[in-house]
Structure formats: structure tokens, C-alpha cells
Amino acid sequence: MSESTHHNAIRKGGKRRRRFDDLFQGLPRSASVICSNSMIHDLTNDQKLQIREYIKERSPGSEEIADALLWVAETHPKELRTKELCETLEAVTLIGARINAHLASTNNKSTPGAKRKKESIMTIYDLACGHGLAGVLLAYRFPKVRVRCIDRERRPCWNTYIEAFEGFGTKSPGNDTVMANLNFEEGDIM
């Protein structure tokens, strides 16, 4: 793959990521993708600083998410893969935009002056959630939305993510814990 073609392949993600092209190009790679065995813990300090900025950009107004995820990388070096983090952040950004649009359209449907119906609680199901980071990030971003992660078994990193967000996150009003709207169910959905 030529340098020009390789550079264009990285840019496929859109304008919002272009400021991180140098980061993505510098990460450990296997062919044209981020190496699936690369761990955040093993990156250079400069790359970790860039990852912090990337997380903060993908999670505006919630710098504590970067603190929580980098704490996971440092205290549990084998539980946060570089590729999984980047893919999850991109997916959660897209899913979050759809949730915001849905919540906005639901809130706009009420008639002015009419009694407001009891708000229904949205539930998101993360089926075959694997490491569960997408569900954790969605639950943190949308504290009034229930998130149910389901997989055959709970991976050790799940508890680490919960510990990190309970330690660095902010409780929403009326909740005893940061992740009160999140749960994990072991089982086979079939």
C-alpha cells in the first residue's frame, strides 16, 4: 500500500479524527490496522498523552473518562487494548448521537400545556458485549438510560472498568453509585 493510499485509509473516519492522524499512524500496527495485541499501558508517554486528548475529544465535558480509562491501563496493564479503546470510542460517539437525537425527539413530542406523561425509561441492550466498555461508556454518558450488558461470561476487565468509573466518575442526582443504571447478565441469548 502506498503512503498516500495508507494515509487516505486512516482518514476514512472523517474530519473529526484528522487531528489525531499522527496518533493513529504512530500506534503499533498490523498491516493497515491498529495491532489487536497493543495495550495502552505499553504505549510511549507521548502516545498516552495523545490518547488522553483523543478520549477527551470523544467525551466532551467528561475529562474524568480519560482519567478512569488511563487508570485502568496503568493499574491493570493487560485489560485495555489500544484497538478496542479506539473502536469503542468511535462506536459510542455514533451511538450516543443517535440516543441524543431519540431523546430530543421524545422530549419534543409533548404538547405545551398538556400534562406530561410519566417518562418512560429507555433501555439499551449490549448483546455479546465482550469487554463491556461500550456499555460502561454509554451508561456513564446517559445516567437516565438503563444499560444491560449481556455475554456468556463476565471478563475480569468488566469489574476493573466499574471500579475505575466509581472512583473517577460523578454520581448523578438520586443515585448511590456512579453506575447505578448499568448491569451485566451472564448467559446465552439464544
Side-chain angles (χ1 to χ4, degrees):
M1 180 182 291
S2 73
E3 185 63 32
S4 172
T5 305
H6 176 70
H7 185 68
N8 289 337
I10 292 173
R11 286 185 164 224
K12 236 179 186 175
K15 293 178 186 177
R16 69 183 183 276
R17 283 194 354 200
R18 289 194 179 133
R19 86 179 192 111
F20 295 103
D21 278 356
D22 288 342
L23 167 64
F24 294 126
Q25 287 177 338
L27 292 173
R29 304 187 78 73
S30 173
S32 64
V33 297
I34 298 170
C35 180
S36 60
N37 294 323
S38 166
M39 306 304 283
I40 296 291
H41 178 268
D42 298 332
L43 299 178
T44 67
N45 287 336
D46 185 49
Q47 288 172 321
K48 288 176 189 175
L49 288 173
Q50 289 178 320
I51 287 285
R52 172 180 284 287
E53 291 306 310
Y54 172 63
I55 295 168
K56 286 168 45 179
E57 181 175 284
R58 306 315 287 147
S59 314
S62 298
E63 189 170 323
E64 68 276 13
I65 292 175
D67 295 335
L69 292 173
L70 292 173
W71 176 85
V72 169
E74 291 307 312
T75 59
H76 301 274
K78 299 297 179 197
E79 291 190 6
L80 189 56
R81 296 180 187 282
T82 308
K83 186 173 191 273
E84 286 177 351
L85 175 63
C86 294
E87 289 173 345
T88 301
L89 286 170
E90 291 302 313
V92 166
T93 300
L94 295 172
I95 295 165
R98 298 292 297 229
I99 294 169
N100 278 330
H102 175 76
L103 293 173
S105 73
T106 302
N107 289 337
N108 291 336
K109 288 182 181 175
S110 61
T111 308
K115 286 186 178 179
R116 185 163 177 113
K117 292 180 181 178
K118 182 182 176 191
E119 282 189 32
S120 62
I121 298 174
M122 176 191 279
T123 301
I124 297 170
Y125 292 88
D126 186 358
L127 305 177
C129 67
H131 49 73
L133 184 56
V136 170
L137 291 171
L138 288 169
Y140 187 75
R141 181 171 173 188
F142 299 100
K144 292 184 179 180
V145 173
R146 275 188 294 211
V147 178
R148 298 178 77 181
C149 296
I150 302 170
D151 208 314
R152 287 184 174 198
E153 65 182 63
R154 182 186 316 230
R155 294 186 188 176
C157 57
W158 170 267
N159 294 331
T160 304
Y161 295 150
I162 301 303
E163 180 182 357
F165 278 83
E166 289 294 339
F168 290 92
T170 304
K171 293 178 194 172
S172 60
N175 288 325
D176 294 334
T177 64
V178 174
M179 307 304 290
N181 60 327
L182 175 70
N183 73 351
F184 184 97
E185 294 179 29
E186 277 187 45
D188 191 341
I189 61 171
M190 301 307 269

